[in-house]
Amino acid sequence: MAAKQHNPAFEALVESLRTQVSECTIDDVRSWQQAGRAFFFVDVREDHEFAQDHATGSMHIGRGVIERDVETLIPNKAADVVLYCGGGYRSVLAADSLQKMGYTNVRSMIGGIRAWREASLPLTVSGKAPP
């Protein structure tokens, strides 16, 4: 699937925030998972996107409600948190918001679920991990 074309002002906003937000690669995330490193792996896409498929081991807190719900789901503001979306834009916005809320170890996964799929990394489809 081709990368979505975004509006110029949206792209400019995200690019301006990239310098303030830590990012990591899919390889970083996969190595942390394989090493048993404790971190919250959070899909910030819409409900229907998460329901279609998501990176195995991730939890869902949609971008539209993350500021409202994150403190309940991840009360420790020093916890390691990796956010991802479709291609790495919405997760940058979410990471910026969480940092402003006092979260100190937040990263956005570069390339999002698109990069995860392209690397054939484990996906959970319709609530079940594929065989």
Side-chain angles (χ1 to χ4, degrees):
M1 179 188 293
K4 180 175 173 67
Q5 292 295 326
H6 296 295
N7 289 313
F10 174 75
E11 285 195 9
L13 173 62
V14 172
E15 291 308 315
S16 73
L17 294 174
R18 281 194 199 279
T19 61
Q20 302 167 43
V21 170
S22 295
E23 293 184 290
C24 61
T25 67
I26 59 171
D27 292 333
D28 292 331
V29 173
R30 193 63 184 138
S31 69
W32 297 334
Q33 286 178 324
Q34 291 171 335
R37 179 174 168 174
F39 66 98
F40 290 91
F41 192 25
V42 181
D43 186 321
V44 301
R45 296 176 300 152
E46 299 293 322
D47 294 350
H48 71 276
E49 293 174 290
F50 182 81
Q52 178 185 347
D53 71 356
H54 51 276
T56 298
S58 66
M59 64 188 287
H60 182 243
I61 312 175
R63 172 72 188 104
V65 298
I66 195 164
E67 293 87 354
R68 182 193 74 193
D69 295 348
V70 70
E71 288 178 293
T72 300
L73 298 168
I74 307 172
N76 178 2
K77 293 187 177 184
D80 282 328
V81 180
V82 173
L83 307 172
Y84 75 90
C85 59
Y89 288 81
R90 290 173 286 178
S91 57
V92 167
L93 295 172
D96 180 63
S97 288
L98 295 189
Q99 287 178 171
K100 288 175 179 170
M101 292 176 69
Y103 286 83
T104 57
N105 293 307
V106 180
R107 293 174 190 82
S108 173
M109 186 175 78
I110 299 166
I113 193 72
R114 194 171 303 116
W116 191 267
R117 286 184 195 124
E118 289 171 2
S120 299
L121 293 174
L123 291 169
T124 298
V125 180
S126 300
K128 297 181 180 177

